[in-house]
Amino acid sequence: MAVDPARADIVDARLEAVVNQCMDYLANEGLQAPNLFRTVPPHAVMEAVMQDVLEGESINFVAVNDPSLCTAVLTAGIRRMNKPLFPVHLIDALAEAQQLSARDPPATKHVRMKEVLTNAALQGSVSSTFLNLVGLLNLLAQNAGANGTSFGQLAATFAGEWMPNHGQGQPRNSPEYRQDLQKCTRVMTDMIL
């Protein structure tokens, strides 16, 4: 069934808005909340919030004050977008930059990946929301002692978003899928660092 492009744009705008609201809440209120991305709210609650978002309602995450709901809505919002938030077209260039940087000194290790993202941003092929998400994940990892997350856990949570259609429709037990997911996890880990 084809999705009406105008409707898809409205849905994506609403989803991107809630993703930004979640990131703002987590950056300002949730950096030290324990078990981020591990504690899952009841499915019915999360779906009710997502339905409100899709109907155009704004969610006041500060008033709700539930970091687990916020992380669930953040990931669901990203996964439900019709147009991927993650720049899937850049994964190979970022993986190549990462490999070339493997022997670089720590102070310059991320220069090549940063150049790929900077060029993409200047060309308008990567969204500011995606770049803000990478920054948020870095902040969350910096507060790992308080919130119990790690670079690896955050990378694994979002690595599949680099894959076309969020990795859906690919046999998860195939060697290609596992290899692609490992590449995405490595790139995501280095971006968060």
Side-chain angles (χ1 to χ4, degrees), residues 147-184:
N147 64 34
T149 60
S150 68
F151 291 108
Q153 179 206 352
L154 292 169
T157 298
F158 291 97
E161 305 311 318
W162 284 104
M163 300 172 78
N165 297 319
H166 312 290
Q168 301 299 316
Q170 297 175 333
R172 295 187 184 264
N173 59 352
S174 73
E176 295 83 14
Y177 177 85
R178 288 193 303 270
Q179 184 178 6
D180 286 348
L181 189 59
Q182 287 174 346
K183 174 175 66 173
C184 295

PDB file of all heavy atoms in Angstrom, residues 147-184:
ATOM      1  N   ASN A 147      24.055   6.798  34.830  1.00  0.00           N
ATOM      2  CA  ASN A 147      22.878   6.262  34.149  1.00  0.00           C
ATOM      3  C   ASN A 147      22.995   4.796  33.736  1.00  0.00           C
ATOM      4  O   ASN A 147      22.029   4.201  33.277  1.00  0.00           O
ATOM      5  CB  ASN A 147      22.508   7.141  32.937  1.00  0.00           C
ATOM      6  CG  ASN A 147      23.571   7.163  31.863  1.00  0.00           C
ATOM      7  OD1 ASN A 147      24.263   6.197  31.610  1.00  0.00           O
ATOM      8  ND2 ASN A 147      23.692   8.309  31.196  1.00  0.00           N
ATOM      9  N   GLY A 148      24.179   4.231  33.871  1.00  0.00           N
ATOM     10  CA  GLY A 148      24.347   2.804  33.607  1.00  0.00           C
ATOM     11  C   GLY A 148      24.423   2.422  32.143  1.00  0.00           C
ATOM     12  O   GLY A 148      24.399   1.247  31.804  1.00  0.00           O
ATOM     13  N   THR A 149      24.529   3.404  31.247  1.00  0.00           N
ATOM     14  CA  THR A 149      24.677   3.079  29.832  1.00  0.00           C
ATOM     15  C   THR A 149      26.159   2.985  29.489  1.00  0.00           C
ATOM     16  O   THR A 149      27.011   3.379  30.269  1.00  0.00           O
ATOM     17  CB  THR A 149      24.036   4.148  28.926  1.00  0.00           C
ATOM     18  OG1 THR A 149      24.675   5.394  29.179  1.00  0.00           O
ATOM     19  CG2 THR A 149      22.549   4.250  29.147  1.00  0.00           C
ATOM     20  N   SER A 150      26.451   2.477  28.322  1.00  0.00           N
ATOM     21  CA  SER A 150      27.833   2.417  27.850  1.00  0.00           C
ATOM     22  C   SER A 150      27.850   2.770  26.372  1.00  0.00           C
ATOM     23  O   SER A 150      26.807   2.751  25.708  1.00  0.00           O
ATOM     24  CB  SER A 150      28.399   1.011  28.048  1.00  0.00           C
ATOM     25  OG  SER A 150      27.739   0.092  27.191  1.00  0.00           O
ATOM     26  N   PHE A 151      29.046   3.064  25.867  1.00  0.00           N
ATOM     27  CA  PHE A 151      29.176   3.337  24.437  1.00  0.00           C
ATOM     28  C   PHE A 151      28.630   2.169  23.634  1.00  0.00           C
ATOM     29  O   PHE A 151      27.895   2.343  22.678  1.00  0.00           O
ATOM     30  CB  PHE A 151      30.647   3.566  24.054  1.00  0.00           C
ATOM     31  CG  PHE A 151      31.219   4.841  24.595  1.00  0.00           C
ATOM     32  CD1 PHE A 151      32.134   4.829  25.625  1.00  0.00           C
ATOM     33  CD2 PHE A 151      30.856   6.066  24.049  1.00  0.00           C
ATOM     34  CE1 PHE A 151      32.676   6.004  26.111  1.00  0.00           C
ATOM     35  CE2 PHE A 151      31.387   7.256  24.534  1.00  0.00           C
ATOM     36  CZ  PHE A 151      32.301   7.221  25.570  1.00  0.00           C
ATOM     37  N   GLY A 152      29.008   0.960  24.049  1.00  0.00           N
ATOM     38  CA  GLY A 152      28.578  -0.238  23.329  1.00  0.00           C
ATOM     39  C   GLY A 152      27.072  -0.412  23.321  1.00  0.00           C
ATOM     40  O   GLY A 152      26.478  -0.745  22.286  1.00  0.00           O
ATOM     41  N   GLN A 153      26.441  -0.195  24.475  1.00  0.00           N
ATOM     42  CA  GLN A 153      24.986  -0.342  24.548  1.00  0.00           C
ATOM     43  C   GLN A 153      24.289   0.700  23.683  1.00  0.00           C
ATOM     44  O   GLN A 153      23.350   0.379  22.952  1.00  0.00           O
ATOM     45  CB  GLN A 153      24.505  -0.222  25.991  1.00  0.00           C
ATOM     46  CG  GLN A 153      22.991  -0.340  26.106  1.00  0.00           C
ATOM     47  CD  GLN A 153      22.414   0.360  27.322  1.00  0.00           C
ATOM     48  OE1 GLN A 153      23.145   0.815  28.177  1.00  0.00           O
ATOM     49  NE2 GLN A 153      21.112   0.464  27.372  1.00  0.00           N
ATOM     50  N   LEU A 154      24.738   1.947  23.747  1.00  0.00           N
ATOM     51  CA  LEU A 154      24.132   3.001  22.939  1.00  0.00           C
ATOM     52  C   LEU A 154      24.332   2.729  21.445  1.00  0.00           C
ATOM     53  O   LEU A 154      23.413   2.893  20.646  1.00  0.00           O
ATOM     54  CB  LEU A 154      24.702   4.361  23.318  1.00  0.00           C
ATOM     55  CG  LEU A 154      24.325   4.857  24.713  1.00  0.00           C
ATOM     56  CD1 LEU A 154      25.153   6.085  25.094  1.00  0.00           C
ATOM     57  CD2 LEU A 154      22.837   5.154  24.811  1.00  0.00           C
ATOM     58  N   ALA A 155      25.535   2.292  21.086  1.00  0.00           N
ATOM     59  CA  ALA A 155      25.805   1.970  19.680  1.00  0.00           C
ATOM     60  C   ALA A 155      24.918   0.829  19.212  1.00  0.00           C
ATOM     61  O   ALA A 155      24.333   0.887  18.127  1.00  0.00           O
ATOM     62  CB  ALA A 155      27.280   1.621  19.491  1.00  0.00           C
ATOM     63  N   ALA A 156      24.782  -0.208  20.023  1.00  0.00           N
ATOM     64  CA  ALA A 156      23.956  -1.360  19.644  1.00  0.00           C
ATOM     65  C   ALA A 156      22.484  -0.970  19.540  1.00  0.00           C
ATOM     66  O   ALA A 156      21.760  -1.483  18.677  1.00  0.00           O
ATOM     67  CB  ALA A 156      24.138  -2.490  20.650  1.00  0.00           C
ATOM     68  N   THR A 157      22.032  -0.052  20.388  1.00  0.00           N
ATOM     69  CA  THR A 157      20.634   0.392  20.347  1.00  0.00           C
ATOM     70  C   THR A 157      20.304   1.057  19.015  1.00  0.00           C
ATOM     71  O   THR A 157      19.218   0.873  18.479  1.00  0.00           O
ATOM     72  CB  THR A 157      20.344   1.367  21.513  1.00  0.00           C
ATOM     73  OG1 THR A 157      20.547   0.679  22.752  1.00  0.00           O
ATOM     74  CG2 THR A 157      18.927   1.904  21.457  1.00  0.00           C
ATOM     75  N   PHE A 158      21.258   1.812  18.470  1.00  0.00           N
ATOM     76  CA  PHE A 158      20.980   2.603  17.277  1.00  0.00           C
ATOM     77  C   PHE A 158      21.652   2.090  16.003  1.00  0.00           C
ATOM     78  O   PHE A 158      21.376   2.607  14.924  1.00  0.00           O
ATOM     79  CB  PHE A 158      21.365   4.065  17.523  1.00  0.00           C
ATOM     80  CG  PHE A 158      20.464   4.737  18.504  1.00  0.00           C
ATOM     81  CD1 PHE A 158      20.808   4.839  19.838  1.00  0.00           C
ATOM     82  CD2 PHE A 158      19.238   5.243  18.107  1.00  0.00           C
ATOM     83  CE1 PHE A 158      19.958   5.447  20.758  1.00  0.00           C
ATOM     84  CE2 PHE A 158      18.383   5.848  19.010  1.00  0.00           C
ATOM     85  CZ  PHE A 158      18.740   5.946  20.338  1.00  0.00           C
ATOM     86  N   ALA A 159      22.510   1.101  16.079  1.00  0.00           N
ATOM     87  CA  ALA A 159      23.252   0.633  14.895  1.00  0.00           C
ATOM     88  C   ALA A 159      22.334   0.189  13.764  1.00  0.00           C
ATOM     89  O   ALA A 159      22.599   0.476  12.596  1.00  0.00           O
ATOM     90  CB  ALA A 159      24.203  -0.498  15.269  1.00  0.00           C
ATOM     91  N   GLY A 160      21.263  -0.490  14.090  1.00  0.00           N
ATOM     92  CA  GLY A 160      20.353  -0.971  13.064  1.00  0.00           C
ATOM     93  C   GLY A 160      19.697   0.133  12.262  1.00  0.00           C
ATOM     94  O   GLY A 160      19.221  -0.094  11.145  1.00  0.00           O
ATOM     95  N   GLU A 161      19.682   1.360  12.802  1.00  0.00           N
ATOM     96  CA  GLU A 161      19.078   2.488  12.096  1.00  0.00           C
ATOM     97  C   GLU A 161      19.895   2.888  10.876  1.00  0.00           C
ATOM     98  O   GLU A 161      19.411   3.594  10.001  1.00  0.00           O
ATOM     99  CB  GLU A 161      18.902   3.684  13.027  1.00  0.00           C
ATOM    100  CG  GLU A 161      18.126   3.393  14.283  1.00  0.00           C
ATOM    101  CD  GLU A 161      16.816   2.665  14.046  1.00  0.00           C
ATOM    102  OE1 GLU A 161      16.096   2.997  13.093  1.00  0.00           O
ATOM    103  OE2 GLU A 161      16.521   1.730  14.808  1.00  0.00           O
ATOM    104  N   TRP A 162      21.158   2.463  10.813  1.00  0.00           N
ATOM    105  CA  TRP A 162      21.997   2.757   9.658  1.00  0.00           C
ATOM    106  C   TRP A 162      21.635   1.886   8.462  1.00  0.00           C
ATOM    107  O   TRP A 162      22.003   2.175   7.333  1.00  0.00           O
ATOM    108  CB  TRP A 162      23.465   2.496   9.985  1.00  0.00           C
ATOM    109  CG  TRP A 162      24.091   3.544  10.815  1.00  0.00           C
ATOM    110  CD1 TRP A 162      24.372   3.462  12.146  1.00  0.00           C
ATOM    111  CD2 TRP A 162      24.551   4.819  10.405  1.00  0.00           C
ATOM    112  NE1 TRP A 162      24.966   4.608  12.576  1.00  0.00           N
ATOM    113  CE2 TRP A 162      25.089   5.464  11.524  1.00  0.00           C
ATOM    114  CE3 TRP A 162      24.549   5.495   9.187  1.00  0.00           C
ATOM    115  CZ2 TRP A 162      25.628   6.736  11.467  1.00  0.00           C
ATOM    116  CZ3 TRP A 162      25.081   6.767   9.126  1.00  0.00           C
ATOM    117  CH2 TRP A 162      25.625   7.380  10.260  1.00  0.00           C
ATOM    118  N   MET A 163      20.968   0.790   8.724  1.00  0.00           N
ATOM    119  CA  MET A 163      20.669  -0.161   7.658  1.00  0.00           C
ATOM    120  C   MET A 163      19.403   0.271   6.909  1.00  0.00           C
ATOM    121  O   MET A 163      18.492   0.834   7.515  1.00  0.00           O
ATOM    122  CB  MET A 163      20.513  -1.558   8.250  1.00  0.00           C
ATOM    123  CG  MET A 163      21.793  -2.013   8.949  1.00  0.00           C
ATOM    124  SD  MET A 163      21.610  -3.536   9.860  1.00  0.00           S
ATOM    125  CE  MET A 163      21.678  -4.697   8.506  1.00  0.00           C
ATOM    126  N   PRO A 164      19.348   0.022   5.602  1.00  0.00           N
ATOM    127  CA  PRO A 164      18.130   0.365   4.866  1.00  0.00           C
ATOM    128  C   PRO A 164      16.903  -0.276   5.517  1.00  0.00           C
ATOM    129  O   PRO A 164      16.956  -1.431   5.957  1.00  0.00           O
ATOM    130  CB  PRO A 164      18.389  -0.215   3.472  1.00  0.00           C
ATOM    131  CG  PRO A 164      19.879  -0.283   3.365  1.00  0.00           C
ATOM    132  CD  PRO A 164      20.375  -0.561   4.766  1.00  0.00           C
ATOM    133  N   ASN A 165      15.833   0.485   5.635  1.00  0.00           N
ATOM    134  CA  ASN A 165      14.587   0.028   6.276  1.00  0.00           C
ATOM    135  C   ASN A 165      14.820  -0.468   7.698  1.00  0.00           C
ATOM    136  O   ASN A 165      14.145  -1.377   8.159  1.00  0.00           O
ATOM    137  CB  ASN A 165      13.909  -1.061   5.434  1.00  0.00           C
ATOM    138  CG  ASN A 165      13.489  -0.544   4.086  1.00  0.00           C
ATOM    139  OD1 ASN A 165      12.997   0.573   3.974  1.00  0.00           O
ATOM    140  ND2 ASN A 165      13.712  -1.332   3.059  1.00  0.00           N
ATOM    141  N   HIS A 166      15.787   0.105   8.363  1.00  0.00           N
ATOM    142  CA  HIS A 166      16.109  -0.248   9.752  1.00  0.00           C
ATOM    143  C   HIS A 166      16.442  -1.727   9.893  1.00  0.00           C
ATOM    144  O   HIS A 166      16.227  -2.325  10.942  1.00  0.00           O
ATOM    145  CB  HIS A 166      14.967   0.118  10.711  1.00  0.00           C
ATOM    146  CG  HIS A 166      14.441   1.494  10.533  1.00  0.00           C
ATOM    147  ND1 HIS A 166      15.150   2.616  10.868  1.00  0.00           N
ATOM    148  CD2 HIS A 166      13.275   1.943  10.016  1.00  0.00           C
ATOM    149  CE1 HIS A 166      14.442   3.695  10.583  1.00  0.00           C
ATOM    150  NE2 HIS A 166      13.306   3.320  10.060  1.00  0.00           N
ATOM    151  N   GLY A 167      16.942  -2.339   8.831  1.00  0.00           N
ATOM    152  CA  GLY A 167      17.296  -3.758   8.861  1.00  0.00           C
ATOM    153  C   GLY A 167      16.116  -4.688   8.707  1.00  0.00           C
ATOM    154  O   GLY A 167      16.274  -5.904   8.748  1.00  0.00           O
ATOM    155  N   GLN A 168      14.919  -4.125   8.521  1.00  0.00           N
ATOM    156  CA  GLN A 168      13.719  -4.945   8.369  1.00  0.00           C
ATOM    157  C   GLN A 168      13.738  -5.639   7.011  1.00  0.00           C
ATOM    158  O   GLN A 168      14.185  -5.077   6.027  1.00  0.00           O
ATOM    159  CB  GLN A 168      12.454  -4.099   8.500  1.00  0.00           C
ATOM    160  CG  GLN A 168      12.335  -3.376   9.821  1.00  0.00           C
ATOM    161  CD  GLN A 168      12.281  -4.323  11.006  1.00  0.00           C
ATOM    162  OE1 GLN A 168      11.595  -5.313  10.982  1.00  0.00           O
ATOM    163  NE2 GLN A 168      13.035  -3.994  12.038  1.00  0.00           N
ATOM    164  N   GLY A 169      13.231  -6.839   6.968  1.00  0.00           N
ATOM    165  CA  GLY A 169      13.148  -7.579   5.716  1.00  0.00           C
ATOM    166  C   GLY A 169      14.419  -8.322   5.365  1.00  0.00           C
ATOM    167  O   GLY A 169      14.471  -9.007   4.351  1.00  0.00           O
ATOM    168  N   GLN A 170      15.441  -8.196   6.182  1.00  0.00           N
ATOM    169  CA  GLN A 170      16.678  -8.942   5.956  1.00  0.00           C
ATOM    170  C   GLN A 170      16.723 -10.111   6.923  1.00  0.00           C
ATOM    171  O   GLN A 170      16.420  -9.937   8.113  1.00  0.00           O
ATOM    172  CB  GLN A 170      17.901  -8.052   6.169  1.00  0.00           C
ATOM    173  CG  GLN A 170      17.991  -6.893   5.214  1.00  0.00           C
ATOM    174  CD  GLN A 170      19.159  -5.974   5.544  1.00  0.00           C
ATOM    175  OE1 GLN A 170      19.583  -5.884   6.688  1.00  0.00           O
ATOM    176  NE2 GLN A 170      19.662  -5.281   4.542  1.00  0.00           N
ATOM    177  N   PRO A 171      17.099 -11.288   6.466  1.00  0.00           N
ATOM    178  CA  PRO A 171      17.203 -12.421   7.394  1.00  0.00           C
ATOM    179  C   PRO A 171      18.285 -12.142   8.443  1.00  0.00           C
ATOM    180  O   PRO A 171      19.447 -11.946   8.105  1.00  0.00           O
ATOM    181  CB  PRO A 171      17.600 -13.604   6.503  1.00  0.00           C
ATOM    182  CG  PRO A 171      17.501 -13.127   5.097  1.00  0.00           C
ATOM    183  CD  PRO A 171      17.429 -11.640   5.109  1.00  0.00           C
ATOM    184  N   ARG A 172      17.881 -12.068   9.695  1.00  0.00           N
ATOM    185  CA  ARG A 172      18.812 -11.694  10.762  1.00  0.00           C
ATOM    186  C   ARG A 172      19.881 -12.748  11.028  1.00  0.00           C
ATOM    187  O   ARG A 172      20.880 -12.449  11.656  1.00  0.00           O
ATOM    188  CB  ARG A 172      18.042 -11.379  12.038  1.00  0.00           C
ATOM    189  CG  ARG A 172      17.181 -10.146  11.842  1.00  0.00           C
ATOM    190  CD  ARG A 172      16.529  -9.699  13.140  1.00  0.00           C
ATOM    191  NE  ARG A 172      15.645  -8.593  12.876  1.00  0.00           N
ATOM    192  CZ  ARG A 172      15.986  -7.314  13.015  1.00  0.00           C
ATOM    193  NH1 ARG A 172      17.173  -6.994  13.405  1.00  0.00           N
ATOM    194  NH2 ARG A 172      15.118  -6.362  12.747  1.00  0.00           N
ATOM    195  N   ASN A 173      19.683 -13.932  10.558  1.00  0.00           N
ATOM    196  CA  ASN A 173      20.690 -14.969  10.778  1.00  0.00           C
ATOM    197  C   ASN A 173      21.640 -15.103   9.590  1.00  0.00           C
ATOM    198  O   ASN A 173      22.498 -15.967   9.591  1.00  0.00           O
ATOM    199  CB  ASN A 173      20.027 -16.312  11.091  1.00  0.00           C
ATOM    200  CG  ASN A 173      19.109 -16.775   9.969  1.00  0.00           C
ATOM    201  OD1 ASN A 173      18.847 -16.034   9.024  1.00  0.00           O
ATOM    202  ND2 ASN A 173      18.614 -17.993  10.089  1.00  0.00           N
ATOM    203  N   SER A 174      21.497 -14.233   8.585  1.00  0.00           N
ATOM    204  CA  SER A 174      22.376 -14.320   7.416  1.00  0.00           C
ATOM    205  C   SER A 174      23.729 -13.678   7.738  1.00  0.00           C
ATOM    206  O   SER A 174      23.812 -12.718   8.502  1.00  0.00           O
ATOM    207  CB  SER A 174      21.747 -13.630   6.206  1.00  0.00           C
ATOM    208  OG  SER A 174      21.785 -12.222   6.362  1.00  0.00           O
ATOM    209  N   PRO A 175      24.794 -14.210   7.149  1.00  0.00           N
ATOM    210  CA  PRO A 175      26.122 -13.617   7.371  1.00  0.00           C
ATOM    211  C   PRO A 175      26.191 -12.155   6.921  1.00  0.00           C
ATOM    212  O   PRO A 175      26.864 -11.348   7.552  1.00  0.00           O
ATOM    213  CB  PRO A 175      27.059 -14.483   6.522  1.00  0.00           C
ATOM    214  CG  PRO A 175      26.317 -15.750   6.287  1.00  0.00           C
ATOM    215  CD  PRO A 175      24.852 -15.407   6.338  1.00  0.00           C
ATOM    216  N   GLU A 176      25.471 -11.807   5.849  1.00  0.00           N
ATOM    217  CA  GLU A 176      25.493 -10.427   5.356  1.00  0.00           C
ATOM    218  C   GLU A 176      24.879  -9.465   6.368  1.00  0.00           C
ATOM    219  O   GLU A 176      25.402  -8.390   6.612  1.00  0.00           O
ATOM    220  CB  GLU A 176      24.732 -10.314   4.016  1.00  0.00           C
ATOM    221  CG  GLU A 176      25.358 -11.086   2.880  1.00  0.00           C
ATOM    222  CD  GLU A 176      24.979 -12.568   2.872  1.00  0.00           C
ATOM    223  OE1 GLU A 176      24.022 -12.987   3.572  1.00  0.00           O
ATOM    224  OE2 GLU A 176      25.670 -13.315   2.161  1.00  0.00           O
ATOM    225  N   TYR A 177      23.753  -9.887   6.948  1.00  0.00           N
ATOM    226  CA  TYR A 177      23.090  -9.047   7.937  1.00  0.00           C
ATOM    227  C   TYR A 177      24.016  -8.826   9.138  1.00  0.00           C
ATOM    228  O   TYR A 177      24.198  -7.694   9.594  1.00  0.00           O
ATOM    229  CB  TYR A 177      21.773  -9.675   8.400  1.00  0.00           C
ATOM    230  CG  TYR A 177      21.093  -8.872   9.490  1.00  0.00           C
ATOM    231  CD1 TYR A 177      20.259  -7.810   9.182  1.00  0.00           C
ATOM    232  CD2 TYR A 177      21.308  -9.165  10.837  1.00  0.00           C
ATOM    233  CE1 TYR A 177      19.649  -7.058  10.166  1.00  0.00           C
ATOM    234  CE2 TYR A 177      20.702  -8.415  11.829  1.00  0.00           C
ATOM    235  CZ  TYR A 177      19.876  -7.372  11.493  1.00  0.00           C
ATOM    236  OH  TYR A 177      19.288  -6.625  12.483  1.00  0.00           O
ATOM    237  N   ARG A 178      24.590  -9.913   9.643  1.00  0.00           N
ATOM    238  CA  ARG A 178      25.472  -9.794  10.814  1.00  0.00           C
ATOM    239  C   ARG A 178      26.681  -8.919  10.499  1.00  0.00           C
ATOM    240  O   ARG A 178      27.090  -8.101  11.320  1.00  0.00           O
ATOM    241  CB  ARG A 178      25.878 -11.178  11.308  1.00  0.00           C
ATOM    242  CG  ARG A 178      24.738 -11.920  11.983  1.00  0.00           C
ATOM    243  CD  ARG A 178      25.220 -13.145  12.751  1.00  0.00           C
ATOM    244  NE  ARG A 178      25.960 -14.099  11.932  1.00  0.00           N
ATOM    245  CZ  ARG A 178      25.412 -15.117  11.271  1.00  0.00           C
ATOM    246  NH1 ARG A 178      24.112 -15.310  11.336  1.00  0.00           N
ATOM    247  NH2 ARG A 178      26.157 -15.936  10.559  1.00  0.00           N
ATOM    248  N   GLN A 179      27.252  -9.072   9.300  1.00  0.00           N
ATOM    249  CA  GLN A 179      28.402  -8.272   8.915  1.00  0.00           C
ATOM    250  C   GLN A 179      28.015  -6.795   8.810  1.00  0.00           C
ATOM    251  O   GLN A 179      28.737  -5.917   9.297  1.00  0.00           O
ATOM    252  CB  GLN A 179      28.959  -8.774   7.582  1.00  0.00           C
ATOM    253  CG  GLN A 179      30.214  -8.070   7.139  1.00  0.00           C
ATOM    254  CD  GLN A 179      30.739  -8.645   5.819  1.00  0.00           C
ATOM    255  OE1 GLN A 179      30.115  -9.481   5.188  1.00  0.00           O
ATOM    256  NE2 GLN A 179      31.899  -8.169   5.410  1.00  0.00           N
ATOM    257  N   ASP A 180      26.870  -6.512   8.188  1.00  0.00           N
ATOM    258  CA  ASP A 180      26.404  -5.123   8.072  1.00  0.00           C
ATOM    259  C   ASP A 180      26.140  -4.525   9.452  1.00  0.00           C
ATOM    260  O   ASP A 180      26.494  -3.368   9.712  1.00  0.00           O
ATOM    261  CB  ASP A 180      25.138  -5.040   7.227  1.00  0.00           C
ATOM    262  CG  ASP A 180      25.398  -5.226   5.744  1.00  0.00           C
ATOM    263  OD1 ASP A 180      26.579  -5.190   5.327  1.00  0.00           O
ATOM    264  OD2 ASP A 180      24.417  -5.411   4.995  1.00  0.00           O
ATOM    265  N   LEU A 181      25.516  -5.296  10.336  1.00  0.00           N
ATOM    266  CA  LEU A 181      25.217  -4.795  11.676  1.00  0.00           C
ATOM    267  C   LEU A 181      26.501  -4.526  12.456  1.00  0.00           C
ATOM    268  O   LEU A 181      26.601  -3.529  13.175  1.00  0.00           O
ATOM    269  CB  LEU A 181      24.315  -5.775  12.431  1.00  0.00           C
ATOM    270  CG  LEU A 181      23.770  -5.263  13.760  1.00  0.00           C
ATOM    271  CD1 LEU A 181      22.954  -3.980  13.563  1.00  0.00           C
ATOM    272  CD2 LEU A 181      22.917  -6.329  14.426  1.00  0.00           C
ATOM    273  N   GLN A 182      27.488  -5.385  12.319  1.00  0.00           N
ATOM    274  CA  GLN A 182      28.772  -5.152  12.991  1.00  0.00           C
ATOM    275  C   GLN A 182      29.428  -3.870  12.481  1.00  0.00           C
ATOM    276  O   GLN A 182      29.959  -3.081  13.259  1.00  0.00           O
ATOM    277  CB  GLN A 182      29.710  -6.341  12.789  1.00  0.00           C
ATOM    278  CG  GLN A 182      29.328  -7.555  13.593  1.00  0.00           C
ATOM    279  CD  GLN A 182      30.186  -8.765  13.260  1.00  0.00           C
ATOM    280  OE1 GLN A 182      30.897  -8.804  12.268  1.00  0.00           O
ATOM    281  NE2 GLN A 182      30.093  -9.781  14.107  1.00  0.00           N
ATOM    282  N   LYS A 183      29.391  -3.663  11.165  1.00  0.00           N
ATOM    283  CA  LYS A 183      29.960  -2.441  10.586  1.00  0.00           C
ATOM    284  C   LYS A 183      29.227  -1.223  11.137  1.00  0.00           C
ATOM    285  O   LYS A 183      29.856  -0.240  11.558  1.00  0.00           O
ATOM    286  CB  LYS A 183      29.859  -2.495   9.061  1.00  0.00           C
ATOM    287  CG  LYS A 183      30.296  -1.203   8.376  1.00  0.00           C
ATOM    288  CD  LYS A 183      30.304  -1.299   6.859  1.00  0.00           C
ATOM    289  CE  LYS A 183      28.929  -1.470   6.286  1.00  0.00           C
ATOM    290  NZ  LYS A 183      28.908  -1.401   4.805  1.00  0.00           N
ATOM    291  N   CYS A 184      27.915  -1.285  11.170  1.00  0.00           N
ATOM    292  CA  CYS A 184      27.112  -0.166  11.679  1.00  0.00           C
ATOM    293  C   CYS A 184      27.398   0.094  13.153  1.00  0.00           C
ATOM    294  O   CYS A 184      27.477   1.248  13.584  1.00  0.00           O
ATOM    295  CB  CYS A 184      25.632  -0.444  11.455  1.00  0.00           C
ATOM    296  SG  CYS A 184      25.160  -0.522   9.719  1.00  0.00           S
TER     297      CYS A 184
END
